Amino acid sequence: AEPAFVCIVLFCAMTTVTFQPQRLRLAASQLEVERQRTVPELPSALSGAWQGSESPPVLADPAVAETIKGLFPATYGVPTVSLGSGAAINPAKGLKVGVVLSGGQAPGGHNVVAGIYDAVKRSGPGAVTYGFCDGPHGLFSGNVTKIDDIMMNGYRNTGGFDMIGSGRHKIESPEQFVASREVCEKLELDGLVIIGGDDSNTNGALLAEEFKKVGCATKVIGCPKTIDGDLKCPPEIPVSFGFDTACRTYAELVGNVALDALTTQKYYHFCRLMGRSASNIALEVALLTNPNMCLLGEEVSENALSLKKVTEQVVNMILKRSKAGKNYGTVLLPEGLIEFIPEFNDLMKDLNELGDGMKEDEVLRKLSKENQERWHFLPEFIRAQLLLDRDPHGNVQVAKIETEKLLAGCVEKELERLRFAGEYQGSFTPQYHAFGYEGRAGLPSRFDATYCYCLGYTAAVLIAGGKTGLLASVKNLTKPVSEWQCGGVPVTALCVVERRKGKDKPVIKKAVVNLSGTMCQPFHAWAAIRDRVAIEDYYRAPGPLQFDASCPVSLDLPITLCLELGGEAPGLGPPKTQPKVFGSFLYCPRKLNSRSKLQQWRAELVAKKIQETEQAGVKVACVGLPTRPSLRYDEDVMKSVLPTTFGAPLVEVKMGSLPESTGAPPRIGVVFCGRQAPGGHDALIGVVDAIKERSGEVLGFVGGTGGLLKGFAEPISDIVDQYRATGGFDLLGRLQDRIETEEERAGVLASCSKLNLDGLVMVGGTRTASDTVHLAEYFAAKKSKTSVVFIPCGIEGSLINPFVEMSLGFDTASKVIAQLVANTSTDGASARKYYYFLRLMDGGTQGKESTSHVTMEVALSTRPNMALFGEYVAAKSIGLREIVSKVADVICARAEDGKNFGTVILPEGFLSSVPECRLLLEEIAKLPMPCTVAEAFEHLSEFSGALLSSFPSQIQQQLLLSRMDNGEVHASQVAAEQLLAYLVEIELKGRKANPESSPGRKNKSYKGSFSPVCQFLGYQVRCGMPSDFDCEYGRVLGSIAAVLAASGHNGYLASVSGLAGPSDTWRCAGVPLSAICSTTDTGVRVVPAPLKLQSPVWFAWSKLQARCAVEDLYQNPGPIQLSGPSATRKAETLIAANSQYGEAANYVKTLEELGKKLEMLRRACRPGCDASFAKVANRTLSGIEELVAMVSEGPLA
């Protein structure tokens, strides 16, 4: 066996065979380890003695049979093979088989290799499996690696193709066919397995033909792969592998986005999904999530719809929803939608003929009248893109057109026309999402993992039987795995003929969405419900992929596959009840039985766990010592501004039976203030459960702080249980997060007084915390009986302080983001040609208060090549040019090792941490709005103007978009990842052109390739189905808040310590909000907590970052698990931060133990104690006197 890291070269007649070092997996998450140890089940046809029988093939198109026969004279007519019965298959010796991963990545590819490897190993002594590196190119160039147990076991049940890499090369020239044969002969291969899509397997059939024609002993078998779902030939090939996992990954994100739309009721989310030639993914995701509209390219083509007609369809839906008071929604579309529009292709053809470099008026003069009309219909930004973006051949780059933005732009333009005509009075605010790369390399679903393993095993058995020119087939999928039927179908029987470049070419016919005839059941299922879902909100959140066998949906088949195999379509249920109208908000609670199967199972599971493990109720147990702010503060200012809550005592809350109440049953109000975060509904459940113990009532304010100001409240005690363990804030909704003025506080007081509330629970982040403490003081000054209490909730994690170890929702959101980052990193390591720049929704958007807690958690969970942190940049005053240079240095170092791929992550507000960019943002914030780019240059300083001019035009425009309600630039609107990638590309080009231009640079020259892909991860995660941690944490926080509010603790926050431990060891408390406030230039408020650069969390990343930069230490934490061992996994930052407390386990327990020690010392040093002992104790305490004085210092320096 060749050593893993030794390069061995074999020479044959014309082709060199080079054994490459194994690409061993260097790291793995807890879930990956669990999955690696899982062995998929085999059908009885494969697990027993190998047998096979033959039958005549069924042709895809009998009309072209003679043409196909002429193209494949040697392999045409080979029979279909069924395994499990018939003649025995007994290879004379151990098999030698080579594997090629071809084309784009699809989840499950590694399991195909695992199935091949295990079957080959079973074939006998001397068996060996080879992997050709980086696709077909590795085959004809002879780049190969030997797969052994260590290598294989590291990739079982994992996503991506990074084990041996993939590529999109084709074996086309006679020289490449000869070279491929020579490599196979030199390695003495019995078989070659091509794992790929329709083109790759057609290429494999040509290889099989060539090999058989010249007498090469190597047999060629294919395995059907493509996430697009366009390689299926029922009944033999019912589905391609990877389709299920990709669709479920996208469906999780679309479901989250739909809940986000329902929560704020102000956005239309346009979601572009993979699928250039077919809309199978879009249809599958639509059936899983019930969006308001799903456009199918096949339907557009069938009805010859123009772009204008497609736009009218969307506009009509929006008009109907607007009349129903709904100015929000979700629209799905395949990435290849515009390529299904004939007239758009005609326009592109004319533009290509005109060439580039022309101005718009010149273009218009030369276009036909029809194309002039089509041109004018396009949004202005699309027209500008078509004029500027050309490929090296001068053609318009249609593939770079962001279809979702094109469609939304056309819709917006038409709605404005209707508004001007008085036919539309609604609002239209689009958000754009492109879901693609993150779905190609995720951990395969249980179905894909099993299906792929069986495909690979089948391919190896077919080779053992001496078969060639077949595509591995596994069918009967609705039955138990043991009854699945395995075999092989001739590729030639699946081919049709297309005319390409003047020649007849065999191709496997693409499987598109069938609108009629056989296999049209999925489309008809969608057509049957789309009119209802267009107007009513039947959104389903399918939730994350599950792997634990105890979860009943973990082995579900794709919906479209089930329908094609005779299954029933999932129904919508009864019509929705009429919503209540509260201003611009609609209140329409949803029943649990209207949700996804996973959601229903999960809600019951969580409720059962609570019943089995918890004592009912919580109570105030004891009152501690007065508190002080954890940050430095001006004591006089604090006492003046917060006279009621400053220095109030810490209140411990313990689980147990509630004491008998002598007063009236409490009435508590709850409002969602901050931006949505997973676990919010569970916090409501905690409030309701605690108040029910006292026979009280809970009212929810509809529409967030806006509803609070207007008194829009509804009883939620009887409905909230239907929202257990669900994402989003859609039960009550939310919008603006602000209660700052005297008038606003008076409005809240009026609402609470009118509703006779004993307590008000406010849920949100740092801004809500600041508003809550001042509102509590206002209520106290007005002698209100309403106690105001705060629940720390926000995905950004910037509320971290001694009393808030983690904010509610951070755990779930960071884990969902980590899954997407890891999937994308694996995709990059598989294709080995992309650099992914990923901007993450994180804390803060302005100045020094931008935080990077989510980025740190994701970095520790996934180990990208580079993570940028705003706090570090701000602390070190690192300029933009230096940042760009550092990123380029990493890219250059990786290029020297032959790695032209990688992943860079950065927080949402990163630009505001860069000194010169912060200055630019401050100046832009002072500009009168609206403001054009040209007008901005007139008002900016010379320095800021020069900086802005160095940015690409789209970034310039983003900086001048609508502001936040505080007047600042909205960070989420500025694509910092695109700016960074743009500047890095310029830097790398400079290094190529002038390698010696920068003396002292670590990497003076650059010879690699750089293809950046940019994405923002935010809206698709903040309404995710909450983790077990967030479910329990939210419920406990809600219970604490309810008891504090009902017992008159005004101005308190709910606090839980010891979160890194089991929930039965958590310490619950009420903490005065003043204890987390500080005095600032803008008043007393809760300041977002920055990532500490001298902390266990920072040190944890510091130990990894150098290796991550140059090695591939990627690990995939995978989708959140709701049962099984991984369901209890805690956040990496929580574990690292908690390590500082040692055995004490948490902050509250540390203070408690410290108090005991001080009391013990006080008792030991009472008058009459030994003099020597008193002297030693005094000397010891003197050593920390200076530290105590410094920490106790109140006034700001």
Side-chain angles (χ1 to χ4, degrees), residues 983-998 1001 1004-1006:
L983 297 175
V984 167
E985 187 166 21
I986 292 175
E987 170 72 10
L988 293 174
K989 287 179 179 178
R991 294 191 183 195
K992 272 190 175 181
N994 302 292
E996 302 296 335
S997 61
S998 299
R1001 179 178 284 154
K1004 296 182 179 179
S1005 63
Y1006 175 61

Side-chain angles (χ1 to χ4, degrees), residues 410-542:
C410 292
V411 167
E412 189 168 25
K413 189 177 178 182
E414 179 65 11
L415 288 174
E416 285 306 307
R417 185 189 69 78
L418 293 173
R419 189 189 303 280
F420 185 78
E423 299 177 34
Y424 174 63
Q425 288 79 42
S427 62
F428 177 72
T429 306
Q431 294 287 348
Y432 313 108
H433 313 277
F435 301 142
Y437 295 102
E438 61 270 69
R440 304 197 311 178
L443 301 185
S445 65
R446 288 187 67 201
F447 168 73
D448 267 333
T450 306
Y451 181 54
C452 289
Y453 188 69
C454 294
L455 282 172
Y457 213 104
T458 297
V461 175
L462 291 172
I463 290 171
K467 309 304 179 185
T468 193
L470 301 181
L471 195 60
S473 166
V474 177
K475 56 185 182 178
N476 205 32
L477 300 176
T478 58
K479 300 294 183 181
V481 175
S482 61
E483 299 177 29
W484 286 4
Q485 297 169 1
C486 306
V489 57
V491 178
T492 55
L494 309 177
C495 285
V496 296
V497 175
E498 290 185 3
R499 197 73 177 167
R500 294 182 180 178
K501 298 180 181 179
K503 295 182 180 180
D504 286 339
K505 293 287 186 181
V507 295
I508 297 176
K509 185 178 180 180
K510 282 191 179 295
V512 298
V513 172
N514 286 341
L515 306 180
S516 60
T518 58
M519 314 306 290
C520 66
Q521 301 92 330
F523 171 71
H524 285 177
W526 171 247
I529 64 171
R530 59 181 171 185
D531 287 343
R532 286 178 65 186
V533 300
I535 309 303
E536 299 181 53
D537 300 329
Y538 285 96
Y539 305 137
R540 281 200 182 105

